[in-house]
Amino acid sequence: MNLKELSKALGLSQTTVSRALNGYPEVNEATRLRVEEAARRFNYRPNSRAKGLATGRAMVIGHVISASSQNEMVNPIFGDFVAGAVRGYAEHGYSMIVEYVEDREETTAYRNMVSEGKVDGIVLQSPNVDDPRIANLSDLGVPFVVHGRSSNVTDPYSWVDVNNQRSFQRATEFLIELGHRRIALINGVEDLDFARRRRAGYLQALEDAGIAPDNALMRSDEMTEVYGHHAARDMLRIDNPPTAILTASLISALGVRRAIEEAGLVVGRDVSVITHDDDLSYLKNGQDVPIFTATRSSVRDAGVMVAEMLIRMIENPDCGPQTRLLEAELVVGRSTAAANI
Amino acid sequence: MNLKELSKALGLSQTTVSRALNGYPEVNEATRLRVEEAARRFNYRPNSRAKGLATGRAMVIGHVISASSQNEMVNPIFGDFVAGAVRGYAEHGYSMIVEYVEDREETTAYRNMVSEGKVDGIVLQSPNVDDPRIANLSDLGVPFVVHGRSSNVTDPYSWVDVNNQRSFQRATEFLIELGHRRIALINGVEDLDFARRRRAGYLQALEDAGIAPDNALMRSDEMTEVYGHHAARDMLRIDNPPTAILTASLISALGVRRAIEEAGLVVGRDVSVITHDDDLSYLKNGQDVPIFTATRSSVRDAGVMVAEMLIRMIENPDCGPQTRLLEAELVVGRSTAAANI
DNA sequence: TTGAAAGCGTTACCAT
DNA sequence: ATGGTAACGCTTTCAA
């Protein structure tokens, strides 16, 4: 059932029916009710492509995942972010389109999405420290919001980010307060801006405590379980092994724990583990835990915020770049952190 | 730059330019080259909405996530599946659209997607044991593929599934062989078909070994870390606690491990833990581990397969329902499983 | 081998 | 308050 058929069935013009359905004020209230009833009865829904062609709006937000970001994708925080974003989109009648490109051809994908008229706005995830995609998107003139920041980009752009530096700094400080001196960092790929910031926070805390950083205790790679496992395993074998491990994601944390177990050690007794991108908020209920950081829920919140910011930009093209920095809550489980050193 | 402008710039008709760009055979080779060169130079891309309107095809596959499936979403396997599917879509020029609905209004969302002409096909994830959405989609007449099966649906439909029953049966058998008699199952919500199958496999292995199932050792809930934590914590407090825990996801596994640590116990010594939806394939390299199950990569494979099956159905409407059952590989880490009992 | 024109299903402008 | 019609940008049929 299309508009033509519906209007014929009603004995009205397409114009009137369209107006009635789109809430235009000039249509007679009785007519509107009649039209709405018929639309419901015939299960009429306007064709989105025709509508988009006529209005010039797609009501779609574009996301791109590339082969190289696949591990990032598989990271649970990707799902959390998407869950939040999609929810935010839905609130305003938008949906999300996801495209996949090999390698780092994302810029081409963005350009095509825009010139094909597929999207009204774009979300960029996991920017690098120096990310040309941001300038490319600016040049395209399409509204976009970055989840995260790109340190080396000086021109203004819109972003929503979690304060990763502060989270890691606080987590490290917390371990230092417990008496740890040998604290390992199992970080993500440090081309990624958020990973670099995490490292900066870690280093800052060490410096403030007068602890010299040790390269043997710092790793950086794709956040997989195997990476967490190998990194922790290797570190635990050195002469002066870490007594605490700070790891960036749920996934790598699982590998870290497995490596500790395999080394015959006990998590929380021999080695402390703090995991970012983890949801420990439940530990706050009725347990005497020191409060510190959790971000799975922050990431979902970030998704919702990105959606709202982007849609605001789309529907109000005059408003300039906006930014938003979220503080992650830090929660550390007692047994996990209170190691004997 | 649109077709009209491009053809004007070339001094050709829109028809010819369109034909040249879409690989029609009747166009002069010299003309085609000239057109292609110009299209590249002017950065011309056909408007997808106009193209879709003219061809009647959207080149888009629809996914829906509902509020109630949010925890499922956040489950890393969602990301794995999506990564595989999107890749499969891209291979054939399709992209993925994701819509969000509150509660269980998914059927409405599917209907709207189809009648709005937004999609050429639909993917249904995490079906329930008795899932009306399958019949609804069949009624809509839109090509669709289910990731998973719905036991109580008898009419034929297309699906791709992992053999969850066998995986859990084998994992349980493995624990029994190690001498465990008190084996706990921390399962997903058993309305979900795959969770029910997992439980069936677990029960089958117990029965084969003559072990009476104990309700105190079986839990079923949303796969979150807090759930894994509470379930394991409570079980470890009972009189005759489990010596092994079989858990269904990465996320809950982290809670389980934390609970074990908090109870002053050691994973792999006091309590064995086997996690499904986990990628232990790396353990196969150079380590003497008993081989058993892993599914994160299987899930990605399933995504690719769903994409290919669906696109085949879309482009060849005559082919009937297809099905595909994948066997998950089972890998159990040595330290994890070889507990002292 | 090329082109003119109709059609896809809407919205929006201009009349009435 | 309602209707006729052009326009959105492409594909496809029919003609040349």
Side-chain angles (χ1 to χ4, degrees):
Chain A
M1 166 72 71
N2 61 24
L3 186 61
K4 195 181 203 170
E5 293 161 357
L6 179 62
S7 54
K8 187 158 295 175
L10 279 160
L12 288 167
S13 73
Q14 297 189 28
T15 312
T16 304
V17 175
S18 172
R19 277 197 278 240
L21 258 21
N22 288 298
Y24 280 66
E26 65 261 36
V27 46
N28 186 315
E29 205 49 35
T31 314
R32 160 165 293 134
L33 290 175
R34 202 160 66 86
V35 169
E36 283 173 344
E37 187 278 326
R40 245 191 321 275
R41 185 155 43 84
F42 290 119
N43 236 313
Y44 167 76
R45 294 244 101 206
N47 180 294
S48 70
R49 289 186 301 256
K51 189 165 187 161
L53 197 56
T55 58
R57 321 244 277 99
M59 301 306 284
V60 172
I61 307 297
H63 288 234
V64 172
I65 64 173
S66 70
S68 53
S69 70
Q70 277 222 309
N71 280 312
E72 203 53 43
M73 162 93 207
V74 157
N75 192 325
I77 73 144
F78 181 93
D80 289 303
F81 180 78
V82 166
V86 160
R87 192 172 181 165
Y89 298 154
E91 201 107 348
H92 301 270
Y94 286 76
S95 37
M96 166 179 138
I97 195 169
V98 183
E99 303 219 328
Y100 171 91
V101 290
E102 294 290 338
D103 303 320
R104 277 270 167 216
E105 287 301 319
E106 295 181 39
T107 296
T108 312
Y110 291 132
R111 186 155 38 72
N112 291 349
M113 269 199 211
V114 173
S115 39
E116 288 168 6
K118 280 186 178 170
V119 300
D120 300 319
I122 283 174
V123 169
L124 179 57
Q125 287 170 260
S126 296
N128 289 326
V129 175
D130 196 345
D131 204 317
R133 292 175 297 170
I134 292 176
N136 293 148
L137 283 172
S138 294
D139 291 346
L140 281 179
V142 64
F144 71 100
V145 174
V146 183
H147 178 212
R149 286 167 284 176
S150 183
S151 302
N152 291 357
V153 173
T154 50
D155 290 336
Y157 59 93
S158 296
W159 53 262
V160 172
D161 201 5
V162 166
N163 195 337
N164 283 289
Q165 168 154 5
R166 177 123 72 201
S167 289
F168 274 62
Q169 183 169 351
R170 287 165 70 203
T172 309
E173 284 168 1
F174 175 70
L175 289 167
I176 292 170
E177 278 166 28
L178 286 176
H180 292 279
R181 309 289 293 175
R182 300 287 292 164
I183 302 169
L185 174 67
I186 296 187
N187 202 7
V189 175
E190 290 174 355
D191 284 346
L192 295 173
D193 194 79
F194 70 83
R196 202 200 55 80
R197 288 179 194 273
R198 288 171 174 188
R199 185 162 184 267
Y202 162 83
L203 290 175
Q204 185 65 54
L206 291 186
E207 186 184 325
D208 290 349
I211 301 174
D214 182 348
N215 280 327
L217 297 184
M218 290 182 262
R219 289 294 184 92
S220 155
D221 206 337
E222 296 269 8
M223 275 301 152
T224 62
E225 185 168 340
V226 53
Y227 157 58
H229 178 269
H230 289 358
R233 183 193 60 188
D234 295 348
M235 284 179 180
L236 291 171
R237 284 179 182 161
I238 65 176
D239 278 347
N240 198 357
T243 60
I245 297 176
L246 197 52
T247 178
S249 117
L250 256 176
I251 305 287
S252 55
L254 220 64
V256 167
R257 284 180 130 77
R258 210 178 291 274
I260 292 172
E261 293 159 10
E262 284 174 12
L265 301 171
V266 177
V267 175
R269 188 193 68 192
D270 305 312
V271 185
S272 295
V273 176
I274 293 188
T275 307
H276 201 255
D277 294 353
D278 193 357
D279 189 1
L280 304 188
S281 48
Y282 65 91
L283 288 177
K284 285 188 292 187
N285 303 324
Q287 301 201 22
D288 57 338
V289 287
I291 299 301
F292 257 82
T293 194
T295 45
R296 294 201 69 188
S297 38
S298 325
V299 168
R300 187 183 308 195
D301 294 345
V304 176
M305 253 168 232
V306 163
E308 279 167 1
M309 188 181 286
L310 183 53
I311 290 169
R312 207 178 313 131
M313 290 170 64
I314 290 170
E315 303 192 339
N316 184 358
D318 318 314
C319 67
Q322 301 172 44
T323 61
R324 183 79 184 268
L325 185 58
L326 307 172
E327 289 299 328
E329 191 187 5
L330 189 54
V331 183
V332 177
R334 197 185 191 202
S335 70
T336 308
N340 300 321
I341 304 153
Chain B
M1 165 71 72
N2 60 25
L3 187 61
K4 196 182 203 169
E5 293 162 356
L6 179 62
S7 53
K8 188 159 294 175
L10 279 161
L12 288 168
S13 72
Q14 296 190 29
T15 314
T16 304
V17 175
S18 172
R19 278 198 277 240
L21 257 21
N22 288 299
Y24 281 65
E26 65 261 36
V27 46
N28 186 314
E29 205 49 35
T31 313
R32 161 165 292 133
L33 290 174
R34 202 159 67 87
V35 170
E36 283 173 344
E37 186 278 326
R40 245 191 321 274
R41 185 155 44 86
F42 291 119
N43 236 314
Y44 167 76
R45 294 244 101 205
N47 181 294
S48 71
R49 290 187 299 259
K51 189 164 188 161
L53 197 55
T55 58
R57 322 245 276 100
M59 301 305 284
V60 172
I61 306 297
H63 290 233
V64 172
I65 65 174
S66 71
S68 52
S69 70
Q70 278 222 309
N71 280 312
E72 202 54 42
M73 162 91 207
V74 157
N75 192 324
I77 74 144
F78 180 92
D80 289 302
F81 181 78
V82 166
V86 160
R87 191 172 181 165
Y89 298 155
E91 200 108 349
H92 300 271
Y94 286 76
S95 35
M96 166 178 139
I97 195 169
V98 183
E99 303 219 328
Y100 170 92
V101 290
E102 294 290 338
D103 302 319
R104 277 270 167 217
E105 286 301 317
E106 295 181 38
T107 296
T108 312
Y110 290 132
R111 186 154 40 72
N112 290 349
M113 269 198 203
V114 172
S115 39
E116 288 168 5
K118 280 185 178 172
V119 299
D120 300 319
I122 283 175
V123 170
L124 179 57
Q125 286 170 259
S126 297
N128 289 326
V129 175
D130 196 344
D131 204 316
R133 294 176 296 169
I134 293 176
N136 294 148
L137 283 172
S138 294
D139 291 347
L140 280 178
V142 64
F144 72 99
V145 174
V146 183
H147 178 212
R149 285 167 283 175
S150 184
S151 301
N152 291 358
V153 173
T154 49
D155 291 336
Y157 59 93
S158 296
W159 53 262
V160 172
D161 200 4
V162 167
N163 195 337
N164 282 289
Q165 168 154 5
R166 177 124 72 202
S167 290
F168 273 62
Q169 184 170 349
R170 287 164 70 201
T172 309
E173 284 168 1
F174 175 69
L175 289 167
I176 292 170
E177 276 166 29
L178 286 176
H180 292 280
R181 310 288 294 176
R182 300 288 291 164
I183 302 169
L185 174 68
I186 296 186
N187 202 7
V189 176
E190 290 174 356
D191 284 345
L192 295 173
D193 194 79
F194 70 84
R196 202 200 55 80
R197 288 179 193 275
R198 289 171 173 188
R199 185 162 184 269
Y202 162 82
L203 290 175
Q204 185 63 55
L206 291 186
E207 186 184 328
D208 290 348
I211 301 174
D214 182 349
N215 280 327
L217 298 185
M218 290 182 261
R219 289 295 183 92
S220 155
D221 207 337
E222 297 268 8
M223 275 300 151
T224 62
E225 184 168 339
V226 52
Y227 157 60
H229 178 269
H230 288 359
R233 183 194 61 188
D234 295 348
M235 284 180 180
L236 291 171
R237 285 178 182 160
I238 65 176
D239 278 347
N240 198 357
T243 59
I245 297 177
L246 197 52
T247 178
S249 116
L250 257 174
I251 305 288
S252 55
L254 218 65
V256 167
R257 284 179 129 77
R258 211 177 291 274
I260 293 172
E261 292 159 11
E262 285 174 12
L265 300 172
V266 177
V267 176
R269 188 193 68 191
D270 305 313
V271 186
S272 295
V273 176
I274 293 187
T275 306
H276 201 255
D277 293 352
D278 193 358
D279 189 1
L280 304 187
S281 48
Y282 65 90
L283 289 176
K284 285 189 292 186
N285 302 325
Q287 301 199 24
D288 57 339
V289 287
I291 300 303
F292 258 73
T293 200
T295 45
R296 294 200 69 189
S297 38
S298 324
V299 168
R300 187 182 307 193
D301 293 346
V304 176
M305 253 167 233
V306 163
E308 279 167 2
M309 188 181 286
L310 183 53
I311 290 168
R312 207 178 313 131
M313 289 170 64
I314 290 169
E315 304 193 337
N316 184 358
D318 318 314
C319 66
Q322 301 173 45
T323 62
R324 184 79 185 266
L325 185 59
L326 306 171
E327 289 300 328
E329 191 184 6
L330 190 54
V331 182
V332 176
R334 198 184 191 204
S335 69
T336 309
N340 299 322
I341 304 155

